[in-house]
Amino acid sequence: MDALEVTERSQVGQMEVFEREKKVQEKLHDFIALNAMAKNAGIVCFGSSTFAKMNMLELAMDCGLNVPLYNRSIEGLTLEDSAEVLERVIIPLQPSKIFVNFGEEDSVEDVQEFVARYEWLLLNIHRTCKNCRIYIVAVRSDKSFAGPLNKGLAELSQSTGCRFVDISFGSVFGSLRPYMRSFPIDFADAMLYKAS
């Protein structure tokens, strides 16, 4: 590989980063405008592509929610870039529940270091959203780090007072549904969730 090829690859990489940052800023602006109409104490989904692509209206209707459900996820968002979104979009909503899902868009070379950064995000949520229950949603990916990362996130959830939601098997909706409710499930609901 010659110097020209390295320079071209570097420029392409910089352009991709610039485009991703531009997209994040545009979505951030949209979410701030939406938050002006939103109600506090709802349920918030905060993450990357998996959540950004989900039909949250269908999930809310399927779960029979009695609180608003807001999707504040951005396709391609990384854990590293999540702090500004948390501060400017999530915290103002003061959610009663937050589902966090990062990792699929990140380049995870060191699982322990990534989990430590995830812990910092959770600490900021705990610190600023006082009455919020936090759910860490597993990474759904075929990348080699997904298994060890999900194991690390499950352990992190236990040590931080969060719940771990494993969506690596079956339907994402079916996995999230029992945790969305604000009222206890009964036997019939439990059988329905088990079947999903």
Side-chain angles (χ1 to χ4, degrees):
M1 187 181 315
D2 62 4
L4 181 61
E5 192 175 340
V6 170
T7 302
E8 286 175 357
R9 284 187 179 188
S10 175
Q11 288 174 342
V12 168
Q14 289 173 348
M15 289 298 291
E16 289 173 357
V17 169
F18 175 76
E19 288 298 319
R20 188 179 76 230
E21 289 174 358
K22 182 180 173 187
K23 189 176 177 180
V24 168
Q25 289 303 314
E26 288 171 358
K27 287 299 280 185
L28 196 60
H29 178 72
D30 293 345
F31 287 153
I32 290 169
L34 286 170
N35 279 2
M37 299 176 280
K39 296 179 182 177
N40 286 0
I43 298 171
V44 173
C45 292
F46 176 41
S48 191
S49 298
T50 295
F51 278 176
K53 293 175 184 175
M54 285 179 62
N55 184 339
M56 293 295 168
L57 177 60
E58 187 175 327
L59 180 62
M61 291 177 67
D62 186 51
C63 294
L65 297 178
N66 58 355
V67 295
L69 173 63
Y70 301 112
N71 189 0
R72 297 300 185 256
S73 303
I74 300 173
E75 194 168 342
L77 187 66
T78 63
L79 182 61
E80 185 177 328
D81 297 332
S82 67
E84 183 179 11
V85 179
L86 175 67
E87 182 180 324
R88 296 183 62 197
V89 175
I90 306 300
I91 293 170
L93 289 173
Q94 288 297 300
S96 60
K97 293 181 181 182
I98 184 168
F99 291 82
V100 183
N101 179 243
F102 287 101
E104 68 186 293
E105 300 294 338
D106 295 89
S107 55
V108 179
E109 295 173 16
D110 181 352
V111 169
Q112 288 180 321
E113 190 267 334
F114 184 82
V115 170
R117 287 190 288 131
Y118 217 104
E119 184 175 18
W120 182 251
L121 175 71
L122 298 176
L123 173 69
N124 284 323
I125 295 170
H126 276 302
R127 187 176 51 80
T128 55
C129 300
K130 300 292 184 194
N131 297 312
C132 182
R133 285 179 277 169
I134 303 171
Y135 299 83
I136 301 171
V137 180
V139 174
R140 194 171 205 174
S141 174
D142 57 0
K143 295 179 182 173
S144 61
F145 63 78
L149 178 57
N150 284 334
K151 184 177 183 222
L153 292 176
E155 292 168 1
L156 176 64
S157 70
Q158 291 176 343
S159 68
T160 57
C162 301
R163 296 278 313 253
F164 182 73
V165 182
D166 189 359
I167 63 167
S168 56
F169 302 102
S171 155
V172 176
F173 274 20
S175 300
L176 290 175
R177 191 175 11 181
Y179 301 100
M180 290 282 175
R181 302 171 64 120
S182 60
F183 50 92
I185 64 172
D186 58 21
F187 181 75
D189 289 332
M191 297 312 297
L192 176 67
Y193 295 143
K194 178 89 171 138
S196 298

